[in-house]
Amino acid sequence: MENNDALIKKLKLIRKLNEGLWGWPEEKERLQQAEDLLEELISEFPENTLVMTSIGALRCDQGKHKEAIVFLKKAESIGSADRNLYLNIAIAMLNISAQTRANAKIYFKKAEGFEADKLSLAAYFDPQGY
């Protein structure tokens, strides 16, 4: 139970670090802190879908979409009912290749059937950019 409490506490901190990042001077520092925490959590909880979803979102925000999809697809294979997972998969797929872009719509649609977990991150997405 203690491990679970520590996990939840760190996931809440990661969400706080990630909130409102766009356009603020401390963005890089906060992003690095979130990344450091997620790297620590993925080592400690390698099968946790919330951690994988959040590290996938962070990788998307860094423009590392191919790295993101590895974490996100693993979380999907384990099983997750988190809307953010499917949104993050769609966002990563939009940015990898024309072939994966064609399948992104499937994941946007799939995300509609779920609610976002308040402990996971969603990658930044501007639909007007596509």
Side-chain angles (χ1 to χ4, degrees), residues 95-114:
N95 291 286
I96 292 174
S97 71
Q99 183 180 6
T100 61
R101 180 177 290 197
N103 294 322
K105 188 174 183 176
I106 295 166
Y107 283 92
F108 281 120
K109 190 74 174 161
K110 190 171 187 174
E112 292 175 5
F114 298 100

Side-chain angles (χ1 to χ4, degrees), residues 3 12 15 22 27 39 41 43 45-46 48 50-51 59-62 64 68 73 80 86-87 100 103 107 116 123 128:
N3 267 351
K12 285 180 179 180
R15 280 207 47 99
W22 299 102
E27 177 179 332
E39 291 291 340
L41 288 176
S43 295
F45 303 95
N48 186 289
L50 290 171
V51 175
R59 293 288 183 255
C60 282
D61 289 347
Q62 294 170 326
K64 300 175 181 177
K73 288 298 216 165
S80 175
Y86 299 104
L87 289 176
T100 61
N103 294 322
Y107 283 92
Q128 300 301 317

Side-chain angles (χ1 to χ4, degrees), residues 13-37:
L13 176 58
I14 289 164
R15 280 207 47 99
K16 187 170 178 70
L17 288 167
N18 195 61
E19 288 175 359
L21 282 180
W22 299 102
W24 297 101
E26 69 275 5
E27 177 179 332
K28 287 183 182 180
E29 183 180 320
R30 288 174 51 194
L31 196 60
Q32 185 62 54
Q33 289 174 330
E35 183 175 12
D36 291 346
L37 283 169

